[in-house]
Amino acid sequence: MLDNAMYLEKLINFKDNFSIKIITGMRGIGKTTLLLMFADTLKNSGVPSEEIIYINFEENEEITDFQKLYEFVNEKIIYMEQAYLLLDEIQRVKGWEKAINAFFVGSPVDIYIASSNFKILSEDFLNLLSDNYELIQMYPLSFNEYLNAIPDKKDEESNIKFYQYLKYGGLPIVTKLQEKLEIIPTLLLGMYHTILNKDIISINGVRDVSLLNSINKFLAINTGNPITPKIMELYLENIGQSTTIYTMDNYLQMINDAGLFYRISRYDIKTQAIINGSEKVYCADLGIRSLLLNFADDNIQVVLENIVCMELLRRGYKVYIGKIGKSNVNFVAFKNNKPVYIQVVYKLDNKTGIRKILYPLQRINDQYDKIIISMETPAITDYNGIKVFSIFDFINENI
């Protein structure tokens, strides 16, 4: 079984506290597995099976609205002193928020809900809950998790597996196909279309599927580049499609809500302010990005940035693109109100290149960590307090 120990520990720690546990993340990353593991944990701790109510709404087509959900669950728990409610892909139930609120305020249940669409975290729902919720955001596997999930792996294969990870990504199912790499593209294509159909098109009533696909390809091509409405508009015009800025922004939000791409805002380090209207995007899973590029991309610099961005998010950082004057810093990452400034570079192979990478970090006048991450093991690991890591050091180092 997949190692979801980190997420499972969070669920266990949140057990029986007065909150709704909300699990989100892109389809295919293991949310269902996590809920079933938690159900087994409850049983092993002595909770009777009848007090654990698990419903997967993609398998149960009879519960379609909040009234049916309330009646179904209420009938089971009406005489219970305590119950655990595990609801998978809850966004498929119309008005589900009403049933959840009713259970939360009036029933002896501990509630855990999972969804492949961040849209469930609506402002109205979160206002209804006030602070009575715990958010657990799941991501595709990190490289270390990917390695740990591969059966019968030899230590000397790690370098080969790293390049496979760059190409095929970190969806859990990929780890089971190490002897059948040729079928991974077909599997990823099926996953991509499932995400489109179930987590974007059906939820949002998308009519122009061709435009949606074109925007996803644009985001894959422009991963790590500044994204503006004008740049996107020119791309679409060049391939014979046109739309409005309003529609483009709506589609970007739908794609973000489905967990395919993450929109990363720009942050002015000097003024400590978020800059609106200029952002970058990074793909949740490198395999999906490779698919959108027909497995033809060889831009290691962008892939490294993508790995660093997703690893920071996975570790609980709030991530921004940095700006100081006219210079750029790849990432400014905050945790506990403390920033880390990060530059990502493929190679540090000449003095001019090193000076160019160091310059923005040297302009930042505070005491917080400033680091450079490179593909190769650096010859020099410290430039007057600016630390240098290889990508392998970084993914093994909890900064």
Side-chain angles (χ1 to χ4, degrees):
M1 182 174 283
L2 190 67
D3 182 9
N4 275 323
M6 176 180 70
Y7 302 115
L8 181 60
E9 183 178 358
K10 289 183 179 181
L11 288 184
I12 293 170
N13 289 338
F14 294 145
K15 175 178 171 287
D16 293 328
N17 70 358
F18 188 69
S19 69
I20 296 174
K21 277 61 75 171
I22 304 172
I23 306 165
T24 61
M26 180 182 129
R27 183 176 295 270
I29 59 175
K31 296 184 299 299
T32 297
T33 300
L34 176 63
L35 284 178
L36 294 175
M37 289 173 65
F38 183 63
D40 287 340
T41 300
L42 291 174
K43 293 174 187 175
N44 292 335
S45 70
V47 177
S49 296
E50 61 271 18
E51 293 181 3
I52 304 169
I53 302 169
Y54 169 78
I55 309 172
N56 186 326
F57 294 104
E58 294 196 333
E59 297 174 353
N60 188 319
E61 298 181 354
E62 296 179 0
I63 303 176
T64 55
D65 59 43
F66 72 94
Q67 291 174 320
K68 292 179 180 178
L69 173 58
Y70 181 82
E71 291 169 1
F72 178 85
V73 173
N74 192 57
E75 184 178 340
K76 290 181 175 292
I77 68 172
I78 191 168
Y79 297 115
M80 292 184 185
E81 293 184 3
Q82 175 69 37
Y84 295 88
L85 193 56
L86 283 55
L87 305 177
D88 202 355
E89 300 297 355
I90 197 172
Q91 75 278 358
R92 299 181 68 84
V93 177
K94 186 175 181 180
W96 62 271
E97 301 94 333
K98 298 177 183 178
I100 293 298
N101 188 55
F103 293 135
F104 184 63
V105 299
S107 302
V109 292
D110 194 16
I111 303 172
Y112 303 77
I113 62 178
S115 174
S116 296
N117 194 290
F118 298 120
K119 199 172 183 178
I120 70 162
L121 301 173
S122 68
E123 185 175 347
D124 289 342
F125 177 57
L126 296 183
N127 285 339
L128 190 68
L129 288 177
S130 184
D131 292 325
N132 298 316
Y133 69 94
E134 303 287 353
L135 180 61
I136 299 173
Q137 190 163 335
M138 294 184 67
Y139 300 94
L141 301 175
S142 68
F143 179 60
N144 282 340
E145 291 169 335
Y146 173 86
L147 280 180
N148 291 335
I150 295 174
D152 303 322
K153 173 192 81 279
K154 298 180 177 64
D155 290 341
E156 61 270 19
E157 295 177 333
S158 293
N159 194 53
I160 296 173
K161 297 303 181 186
F162 183 70
Y163 283 96
Q164 289 179 1
Y165 178 77
L166 300 189
K167 183 175 183 178
Y168 296 122
L171 294 183
I173 188 63
V174 171
T175 64
K176 301 177 182 178
L177 298 173
Q178 296 299 299
E179 305 302 321
K180 299 179 180 178
L181 296 178
E182 69 279 2
I183 71 173
I184 292 178
T186 302
L187 180 146
L188 289 172
L189 180 63
M191 179 61 69
Y192 171 70
H193 283 298
T194 301
I195 292 169
L196 256 58
N197 290 324
K198 290 189 174 183
D199 303 323
I200 301 179
I201 295 170
S202 65
I203 288 178
N204 299 288
V206 172
R207 295 182 180 180
D208 195 341
V209 179
S210 176
L211 177 62
L212 177 62
N213 275 305
S214 294
I215 291 177
N216 277 326
K217 186 166 185 179
F218 167 83
L219 297 178
I221 292 170
N222 288 280
T223 299
N225 292 328
I227 300 294
T228 66
K230 186 62 177 178
I231 293 171
M232 190 180 300
E233 183 181 35
L234 288 173
Y235 171 83
L236 293 173
E237 286 179 356
N238 287 337
I239 61 174
Q241 290 183 306
S242 61
T243 187
T244 65
I245 290 176
Y246 176 79
T247 299
M248 286 189 294
D249 191 64
N250 275 348
Y251 275 43
L252 278 174
Q253 191 57 49
M254 294 174 195
I255 292 164
N256 184 88
D257 287 341
L260 269 178
F261 286 87
Y262 284 80
R263 303 171 73 171
I264 308 298
S265 299
R266 193 174 293 274
Y267 178 84
D268 190 306
I269 297 168
K270 188 174 182 179
T271 64
Q272 299 183 5
I274 297 172
I275 304 170
N276 294 322
S278 179
E279 61 186 10
K280 293 186 180 183
V281 299
Y282 292 93
C283 196
D285 181 68
L286 291 172
I288 295 294
R289 180 175 181 269
S290 293
L291 174 76
L292 290 166
L293 299 177
N294 296 316
F295 296 93
D297 182 59
D298 59 358
N299 191 335
I300 297 296
Q301 171 70 32
V302 168
V303 173
L304 290 178
E305 287 182 33
N306 207 114
I307 288 176
V308 171
C309 180
M310 294 308 300
E311 186 66 23
L312 290 168
L313 291 172
R314 190 178 289 110
R315 295 178 185 181
Y317 284 86
K318 178 67 177 176
V319 182
Y320 298 95
I321 306 302
K323 175 182 179 294
I324 181 162
K326 294 183 179 180
S327 300
N328 296 314
V329 176
N330 287 125
F331 300 111
V332 182
F334 287 88
K335 184 187 282 188
N336 301 323
N337 295 319
K338 295 181 179 180
V340 177
Y341 306 101
I342 301 173
Q343 290 285 59
V344 183
V345 60
Y346 177 40
K347 288 185 178 180
L348 283 169
D349 53 3
N350 61 70
K351 290 183 179 180
T352 301
I354 293 171
R355 283 198 297 267
K356 185 178 179 181
I357 292 298
L358 287 172
Y359 179 70
L361 298 178
Q362 291 169 333
R363 296 187 63 193
I364 303 171
N365 295 317
D366 64 33
Q367 75 278 19
Y368 296 110
D369 289 341
K370 303 167 184 68
I371 69 174
I372 296 170
I373 299 171
S374 171
M375 182 67 180
E376 298 178 342
T377 301
I380 301 174
T381 59
D382 191 310
Y383 290 88
N384 294 322
I386 298 174
K387 304 294 184 181
V388 186
F389 297 92
S390 74
I391 187 65
F392 300 101
D393 291 332
F394 170 72
I395 58 183
N396 286 298
E397 181 81 13
N398 190 15
I399 66 170

